[in-house]
Amino acid sequence: MGGVVSAGVDNDDLVDKLKEADYIKTENVEKIFRLVDRGCYMTKDSQSIAYRDNAWRNGNLHISAPCIYAQVMEGLKLGPGMSFLNLGSGTGYLSTMAGLIIGPTGINHGVELHGDVVEYARERLAWFLANTGSVDVSFFCEPQFSQGNALCIKEEKMLYDRVYCGASCPSSHENYMKNLIKVNGILVMPRNDKLLKIVRTGENSWCTESLLPVSFSSLIMPDNSLTAEEVELPSVNLISLQELSREAIRKHFRDCIEKENESLKKAFIYIIPPKPSPKSRKTPMSCLNGNHPKVAMSDTENDTDDSEARDGEWERLSSSQSLHESMHSAFLELARSFINRGTRETSDGNNDLVEEQEGEEECGSRG
C-alpha cells in the first residue's frame, strides 16, 4: 500500500504525498484535505510538525496521523445530506472535513469527553468560518459538539448514516457501536489493533472489513460507581422550504460558473500556504508499508520537536486568503445576465400587452 512517504513542507505538499502513497484515492477526499489545513488545528508551538504523518497530542488535545484520517474518510464514503456522528471529536478537524462533504442538508454531531477540548473545537470552527476565503460556507454543515462520554449516549438516540470512533472500542461495547448506524450505514472504528469498516447489512447483520493495522488508545469506560451522565445529542430541525430553495439556487449559480470557468473548479485553497523552506527536513512519515503488513500506525505518538519552527509560521496560517476575485466577477456577471434577461422578458411582455390594448381600443372606436 505504497512506500515510505516524506513529511510535507506545507498542507498541500502533505496531501500530494498522501495521494502518491495511495492513502488518498478519490478526488472528493483530496479536495477536503486541501480545504482544511491541518496546521490550523494544532497549537502555535507545534507548527513545525504540523505536516508530518504522526499523531499529535498537547494535553487533552489530539489529532490522529494524516494517513489514518485519509483511510477513515475514504472508508466512510460520505455524501451530501448524510448524518454523521464523530465519537471523540477532539479539535473538530475531521468533523470540519466531513461538514464540507455532507453539506447544509446533512447532520454533523460530535461527542468529546473533555470540556476544554470542546471549547477549543468551537473556537477553531469559528476561525474556519471567519477565514474560509473561497470556501462557500453556504454549502457547509457546521459540526455541533457535545461534551460527555461516547459510551453514554441516550438510548432513544437517532441512528446515523456514518459514524467514526476515534478511540479503540472495548469488546463489551462493540454492539453498542454497531447499533448507532442505520441499515446500509457505515461505522469506522479501531478495535483489536485494526481500523475496521463495518457496514450494517440488516437489522441484525453486519459486514466487517479491515482497513489498516493501527494502535489507538482505548475509550474511557464510564465510572460504574456513579450514575453515568447520559449524553444528549443536539435536536435535529427540519430545513425550511425557503432554505432548500435558496441552496438550490446557489448550487445552480455555482454549477453555471464552474461550467463556464473550468479553472475555478480547482480554486479551493483557503489558506495562503507557507513558502517551502530550504532547511525543511524531509522526515519519513511512519505510514504503513504494504510490504510489511504487521507494521501498525500509532495514534498515540507524541512528537513535540519544535527545533525547526519557521519564523512567522503561525502568522501565515492565521492569515486568510481573499475571496477569489474571478469567481466573484463570474458570479456577478451571471447574476446580471439573469436579471437583464428577466427585465427584457418583462419589458417585452409589457410592450405586447400595451400594443394589444391599443389595438382593442382602436377597434372599439371604430365600432
Side-chain angles (χ1 to χ4, degrees), residues 108-141:
N108 195 355
H109 292 164
V111 177
E112 169 58 44
L113 181 63
H114 304 287
D116 59 327
V117 179
V118 172
E119 290 306 311
Y120 184 88
R122 289 170 179 164
E123 185 270 328
R124 288 290 84 199
L125 174 61
W127 186 95
F128 176 81
L129 293 174
N131 296 273
T132 50
S134 57
V135 176
D136 189 345
V137 294
S138 63
F139 292 91
F140 176 59
C141 182

Side-chain angles (χ1 to χ4, degrees), residues 90-165:
T91 64
Y93 173 58
L94 187 75
S95 294
T96 300
M97 289 195 287
L100 289 168
I101 297 180
I102 62 181
T105 58
I107 296 170
N108 195 355
H109 292 164
V111 177
E112 169 58 44
L113 181 63
H114 304 287
D116 59 327
V117 179
V118 172
E119 290 306 311
Y120 184 88
R122 289 170 179 164
E123 185 270 328
R124 288 290 84 199
L125 174 61
W127 186 95
F128 176 81
L129 293 174
N131 296 273
T132 50
S134 57
V135 176
D136 189 345
V137 294
S138 63
F139 292 91
F140 176 59
C141 182
E142 287 190 33
Q144 295 178 283
F145 303 110
S146 301
Q147 182 184 353
N149 192 306
L151 299 176
C152 296
I153 296 174
K154 278 192 172 183
E155 289 187 7
E156 58 271 20
K157 58 186 178 296
M158 65 173 284
L159 301 182
Y160 290 83
D161 296 304
R162 302 290 187 265
V163 174
Y164 171 63
C165 179

Side-chain angles (χ1 to χ4, degrees), residues 220-276:
I220 296 177
M221 296 290 291
D223 189 350
N224 292 328
S225 64
L226 300 172
T227 302
E229 185 176 352
E230 290 185 320
V231 177
E232 186 170 358
L233 296 171
S235 58
V236 177
N237 299 317
L238 295 177
I239 299 177
S240 68
L241 180 60
Q242 181 184 27
E243 188 64 27
L244 287 172
S245 300
R246 184 181 294 116
E247 300 307 331
I249 293 170
R250 285 172 176 160
K251 185 178 187 304
H252 177 70
F253 277 164
R254 187 171 68 173
D255 290 345
C256 289
I257 292 170
E258 290 184 348
K259 185 177 180 181
E260 296 178 5
N261 302 269
E262 290 289 330
S263 62
L264 294 180
K265 289 185 178 181
K266 295 184 178 181
F268 46 56
I269 306 304
Y270 75 93
I271 296 299
I272 301 174
K275 294 181 179 179

Side-chain angles (χ1 to χ4, degrees), residues 188-245:
V188 175
M189 69 173 183
R191 186 174 179 279
N192 293 336
D193 295 330
K194 294 179 181 179
L195 185 66
L196 302 178
K197 174 183 175 181
I198 301 172
V199 180
R200 189 168 191 171
T201 56
E203 287 296 331
N204 298 297
S205 59
W206 292 265
C207 178
T208 302
E209 173 189 355
S210 177
L211 299 178
L212 189 73
V214 293
S215 177
F216 273 68
S217 298
S218 182
L219 284 169
I220 296 177
M221 296 290 291
D223 189 350
N224 292 328
S225 64
L226 300 172
T227 302
E229 185 176 352
E230 290 185 320
V231 177
E232 186 170 358
L233 296 171
S235 58
V236 177
N237 299 317
L238 295 177
I239 299 177
S240 68
L241 180 60
Q242 181 184 27
E243 188 64 27
L244 287 172
S245 300

Side-chain angles (χ1 to χ4, degrees), residues 6-121:
S6 59
V9 295
D10 57 30
N11 194 67
D12 269 342
D13 191 36
L14 174 61
V15 175
D16 289 340
K17 288 173 170 56
L18 290 172
K19 188 178 177 182
E20 290 169 5
D22 204 34
Y23 287 105
I24 293 178
K25 300 178 176 65
T26 59
E27 182 179 347
N28 215 24
V29 172
E30 178 191 353
K31 181 174 181 177
I32 61 168
F33 265 79
R34 293 192 189 278
L35 280 169
V36 186
D37 194 304
R38 186 175 191 253
C40 296
Y41 289 79
M42 296 171 66
T43 54
K44 181 178 180 178
D45 59 354
S46 299
Q47 291 305 301
S48 64
I49 59 172
Y51 307 115
R52 298 179 188 176
D53 193 38
N54 301 121
W56 170 77
R57 184 178 297 279
N58 187 328
N60 290 326
L61 298 175
H62 175 261
I63 298 179
S64 295
C67 73
I68 291 181
Y69 277 154
Q71 287 288 304
V72 169
M73 295 305 294
E74 293 287 359
L76 285 171
K77 297 187 180 299
L78 290 160
M82 287 186 177
S83 54
F84 173 62
L85 175 62
N86 187 359
L87 300 175
S89 50
T91 64
Y93 173 58
L94 187 75
S95 294
T96 300
M97 289 195 287
L100 289 168
I101 297 180
I102 62 181
T105 58
I107 296 170
N108 195 355
H109 292 164
V111 177
E112 169 58 44
L113 181 63
H114 304 287
D116 59 327
V117 179
V118 172
E119 290 306 311
Y120 184 88

